[in-house]
Amino acid sequence: MRADQPLLRVAGLSVRFDTPDGEVRAVDCVDLVVDRGECVGLVGESGSGKSQLALALTGLLAANGRATGSVRLEGRELLGLPERELRAVRGRRIATVFQDPMTALAPHLTIGTQLVETIRAHATVDRATARTQARDWLERVRVPDAATRLRQYPHELSGGLRQRAMIAIALAAGPDLLVADEPTTALDVTIQAQVLRLIADLVQARGLTLMLISHDLGVIGALCRRIVVMYAGTVVEDAVATTLFDRPCHPYTRGLLAAVPDLARPDHRAQPIPGHIPNLLAPPSGCRFHPRCPLAVDRCAQEKPALREVEGRRVACHRAEEALA
Amino acid sequence: MLQYALRRLFGAVPTLFLIVTLAFVLVRLAPGGPFDEEQALAPEVKANLERAYGLDRPLHEQYANYLGALLRGDLGPSMRLRDFTVNELIATGLPVSLALGGMAILLAVGLGVPLGALAALRQNSAVDHAVMGVAVLGIAVPVYVVAPLLALVFGIHLGWLPVGGWSGDARELLLPTIALALPTLAYVARLMRGSVLEVLRLPHVRTARAKGLSPAAVLWRHALPPAFLPVLSYLGPATAAVLTGSLVVETIFGLPGMGRYLVQGALNRDYTLVLGKVIVYATLILSLNLAVDLLYGVLDPRVRQRGRS
Ligand SMILES: Nc1ncnc2c1ncn2[C@@H]1O[C@H](COP(=O)(O)OP(=O)(O)O)[C@@H](O)[C@H]1O
Ligand SMILES: [Mg+2]
């Protein structure tokens, strides 16, 4: 570990997909720094490129996808790393929890097998030891009756237990950075809070760095001290949670906040952002948000706004000052 | 699992019963009878024959007698090949057909699965195009074209392999096996290719990669077992296809299998022979389907548990 290096530094990261209809630019020139021990939230409407950004970190894009730019883990460039070396990073340095544990777990393998293979992919331990460690992991994610669960298949577990098992699998090789991509979206509302709490506790207890991805600001706000807002593949605002909630700057962030039902003020109706996310085959010129933006001026359609420091946050908006005024 | 197997086994009994009944009625529904075409058969001789074979009894009685004998495993005497019982005719034909069909299925799966998987893993490569090109041909060209072609090229022109007839030499089964296996092999290869391509895109395979597993582990443990399931399901229909195909192949290569006398038997209204062979075919198909279902349960835990509960 080098003190002068952030754990993760993403710079100019773009993800493009070749499709029969043309090139989809799912992630466009994203800059993002995650320090060791931080909990960073990545928020944005569905389709804004959050998942593809997460997958691009360790080279897990679909076959028609391509990432350019730079992803550095403690200074070491990961983009373009040969598959062999990436394998040592996946699971061991950067682990990912996916959205739907029903499809993200192999239906034909027991939970035990899926835990053991992860442990053994990164450490030279014999099967029996790995099995014991696997049981310990299930206990750590608060799965009751762990020994029995090890022998069960994913479909035999409830949604909540499945996601706990998925978390155990992600953590089993002892990663530094946990990327949780919509970890509670597929779960019942009552279970969501439990799983979030579990993630928060594990992150604290194990000194993990967390990148939590969600379309739900409520989920992000519950766990993250810093929030990165994405829109149509670009980062539009990056701020400390309190700043973001108290004085959102980017018109899109404001829209997101207004779209969250405020339980404290039931008289205020949630206001969805008018319009919809653009077609990424031909994204709008300039600021990708300008067609939906209440503050848009001519310049917004012509010039892509850079992420810049404005009153203690980073924001990509030509009219940031006016927005805050 | 055992309980499930037994239940499925008992479940097959009514199906078999239905097939026997239908076949019994259908052969008799066809115009004419077994002794109609023999020339110069005096009416009293024909009547005697019909009495001897019980054909003078009312239909329901014939049916009851047939079922009674069937329960004892007796398929009765052949009505046209009068020196033989149906059991004897089947006993000589079945081993040849089983060997031929079994080898054809083994070849189709043993070669079709790896070829299909390889084509998928090297999608759009020369290997892929070659495999899929041959597969399209294999599916499109019928057995009765492939079989004589193989016999002509390898048996007669090149003289590598014996063709025509059966002297007990296992090499004589080689060309018929290939001819019989080809369409199924082609279909299996195509099925497996599509299945592997689909499974490779599934989230659980991405999870396997995200965990840092080796490509071999991702492929062999996470991708291939679920990708094989559609092929396994197809084995039931494939057996039926191979059995019908073997009728043609046996005839072309002059092999004394189950197919022998079957068409002739049907044309001659040899009730007992046709019925006996239909029953054997039905039993084969039913038991193979059962075996496939059980194997499916072994590979897919979700099915296994549904069966158990
Ligand atoms: N394999 C692919 N081919 C083409 N487009 C893709 C592919 N995968 C994702 N995309 C596109 O990338 C965009 C961003 O998707 P994603 O990162 O999943 O959004 P989010 O996670 O924020 O909901 C979407 O418009 C999606 O259609
Ligand atoms: Mg997503």
Side-chain angles (χ1 to χ4, degrees):
Chain A
M1 202 202 308
R2 294 213 298 264
D4 55 329
Q5 298 277 14
L7 180 65
L8 183 76
R9 181 192 291 278
V10 174
L13 180 67
S14 296
V15 173
R16 295 183 180 84
F17 290 100
D18 283 325
T19 72
D21 301 326
E23 191 183 68
V24 172
R25 284 193 265 163
V27 177
D28 191 35
C29 217
V30 163
D31 294 332
L32 180 65
V33 172
V34 181
D35 283 319
R36 196 168 263 281
E38 231 188 339
C39 291
V40 176
L42 203 55
V43 72
E45 284 165 291
S46 131
S48 54
K50 309 179 298 291
S51 296
Q52 303 314 317
L53 170 63
L55 292 172
L57 298 180
T58 49
L60 292 171
L61 292 174
N64 64 334
R66 201 158 30 90
T68 53
S70 163
V71 175
R72 286 174 182 273
L73 184 70
E74 287 182 331
R76 177 177 177 227
E77 182 60 56
L78 298 185
L79 277 197
L81 217 54
E83 193 68 17
R84 264 195 71 80
E85 290 175 49
L86 270 179
R87 247 159 56 208
V89 174
R90 296 180 189 142
R92 177 68 190 85
R93 306 297 313 277
I94 301 178
T96 314
V97 170
F98 294 101
Q99 174 166 340
D100 183 358
M102 188 65 207
T103 55
L105 292 172
H108 62 291
L109 299 175
T110 61
I111 301 296
T113 304
Q114 300 186 56
L115 266 163
V116 165
E117 66 177 358
T118 315
I119 293 167
R120 282 167 52 95
H122 298 285
T124 38
V125 291
D126 60 55
R127 214 167 278 279
T129 314
R131 193 94 188 159
T132 316
Q133 290 178 5
R135 207 197 51 222
D136 293 346
W137 270 111
L138 278 191
E139 278 163 3
R140 268 177 223 139
V141 296
R142 300 174 202 152
V143 168
D145 203 3
T148 311
R149 299 299 181 187
L150 277 186
R151 288 192 301 275
Q152 290 186 317
Y153 292 91
H155 74 274
E156 296 177 86
L157 272 55
S158 67
L161 284 187
R162 268 200 293 271
Q163 193 58 300
R164 285 163 196 270
M166 179 79 236
I167 293 170
I169 289 170
L171 296 182
D176 304 275
L177 174 64
L178 178 66
V179 179
D181 188 356
E182 309 263 9
T184 59
T185 306
L187 305 179
D188 287 347
V189 188
T190 48
I191 311 291
Q192 285 189 4
Q194 291 175 22
V195 170
L196 279 182
R197 149 113 287 156
L198 172 71
I199 292 176
D201 291 350
L202 285 166
V203 163
Q204 240 219 331
R206 313 199 69 80
L208 289 169
T209 307
L210 175 71
M211 184 150 137
L212 180 66
I213 298 175
S214 179
H215 65 283
D216 184 344
L217 257 179
V219 167
I220 298 281
L223 252 66
C224 302
R225 223 188 64 79
R226 211 181 98 219
I227 300 178
V228 176
V229 183
M230 277 186 79
Y231 180 76
T234 57
V235 171
V236 295
E237 189 159 0
D238 177 346
V240 170
T242 47
T243 309
L244 195 98
F245 284 117
D246 296 345
R247 278 192 90 210
C249 176
H250 198 284
Y252 178 65
T253 314
R254 296 164 160 246
L256 269 188
L257 279 169
V260 177
D262 190 344
L263 294 180
R265 299 167 65 189
D267 51 315
H268 272 233
R269 289 270 313 275
Q271 293 284 330
I273 308 172
H276 33 75
I277 205 155
N279 178 358
L280 294 175
L281 280 166
S285 59
C287 172
R288 284 184 172 191
F289 187 59
H290 85 260
R292 296 170 80 182
C293 182
L295 297 182
V297 292
D298 286 350
R299 185 184 175 202
C300 301
Q302 283 144 21
E303 197 182 317
K304 183 180 167 167
L307 258 188
R308 60 198 172 99
E309 199 84 25
V310 178
E311 294 191 28
R313 66 173 60 98
R314 294 194 314 147
V315 61
C317 178
H318 294 309
R319 310 204 60 203
E321 285 78 5
E322 288 94 324
L324 280 174
Chain B
M1 192 72 193
L2 186 69
Q3 207 185 335
Y4 175 60
L6 284 176
R7 217 179 46 217
R8 284 296 315 271
L9 203 60
F10 283 117
V13 172
T15 316
L16 196 59
F17 175 76
L18 206 71
I19 290 170
V20 172
T21 309
L22 259 172
F24 184 89
V25 173
L26 281 177
V27 284
R28 263 152 243 257
L29 230 49
F35 312 115
D36 283 350
E37 279 166 35
E38 285 183 66
Q39 287 139 26
L41 213 57
E44 55 269 32
V45 177
K46 190 182 163 199
N48 275 336
L49 273 171
E50 290 192 334
R51 192 163 332 112
Y53 286 97
L55 292 179
D56 57 336
R57 325 293 309 172
L59 204 59
H60 62 88
E61 210 173 296
Q62 291 182 36
Y63 178 62
N65 287 340
Y66 188 79
L67 278 190
L70 185 62
L71 282 180
R72 295 190 305 273
D74 179 8
L75 295 168
S78 166
M79 289 179 180
R80 289 299 288 256
L81 305 158
R82 274 168 227 143
D83 294 336
F84 301 96
T85 64
V86 173
N87 286 51
E88 282 166 351
L89 289 171
I90 287 175
T92 52
L94 192 59
V96 177
S97 286
L98 279 186
L100 182 63
M103 289 196 326
I105 289 273
L106 276 183
L107 183 66
V109 175
L111 213 58
V113 165
L115 280 179
L118 195 70
L121 294 176
R122 307 248 184 288
Q123 196 188 1
N124 294 327
S125 71
V127 180
D128 184 18
H129 293 309
V131 170
M132 283 308 103
V134 174
V136 167
L137 273 182
I139 292 168
V141 182
V143 178
Y144 53 80
V145 174
V146 172
L149 222 60
L150 282 178
L152 210 64
V153 173
F154 293 99
I156 295 164
H157 275 296
L158 298 171
W160 289 351
L161 289 162
V163 277
W166 174 244
S167 60
D169 183 351
R171 287 189 311 155
E172 286 164 338
L173 281 181
L174 202 57
L175 282 181
T177 301
I178 293 172
L180 186 56
L182 217 51
T184 307
L185 192 160
Y187 195 85
V188 165
R190 226 171 56 165
L191 197 61
M192 186 68 186
R193 176 183 182 270
S195 179
V196 168
L197 285 177
E198 204 175 304
V199 170
L200 284 178
R201 281 194 290 264
L202 290 181
H204 84 259
V205 173
R206 189 182 54 198
T207 306
R209 295 213 296 140
K211 300 198 296 189
L213 301 188
S214 70
V218 173
L219 184 66
W220 289 97
R221 202 173 314 136
H222 288 260
L224 290 184
F228 182 65
L229 290 179
V231 174
L232 190 59
S233 310
Y234 173 66
L235 284 189
T239 330
V242 163
L243 286 180
T244 11
S246 80
L247 293 183
V248 178
V249 170
E250 283 171 17
T251 309
I252 290 171
F253 285 93
L255 295 176
M258 282 276 287
R260 202 189 207 183
Y261 310 128
L262 182 58
V263 175
Q264 221 185 342
L267 292 176
N268 290 340
R269 310 280 181 266
D270 191 338
Y271 293 160
T272 40
L273 180 65
V274 172
L275 218 50
K277 293 204 165 177
V278 165
I279 290 170
V280 172
Y281 276 133
T283 312
L284 272 177
I285 292 178
L286 282 176
S287 42
L288 272 153
N289 271 311
L290 180 62
V292 163
D293 280 359
L294 294 180
L295 211 57
Y296 203 102
V298 172
L299 286 187
D300 189 337
R302 284 168 298 187
V303 174
R304 191 186 324 154
Q305 259 116 30
R306 215 172 302 141
R308 194 191 287 158
S309 58

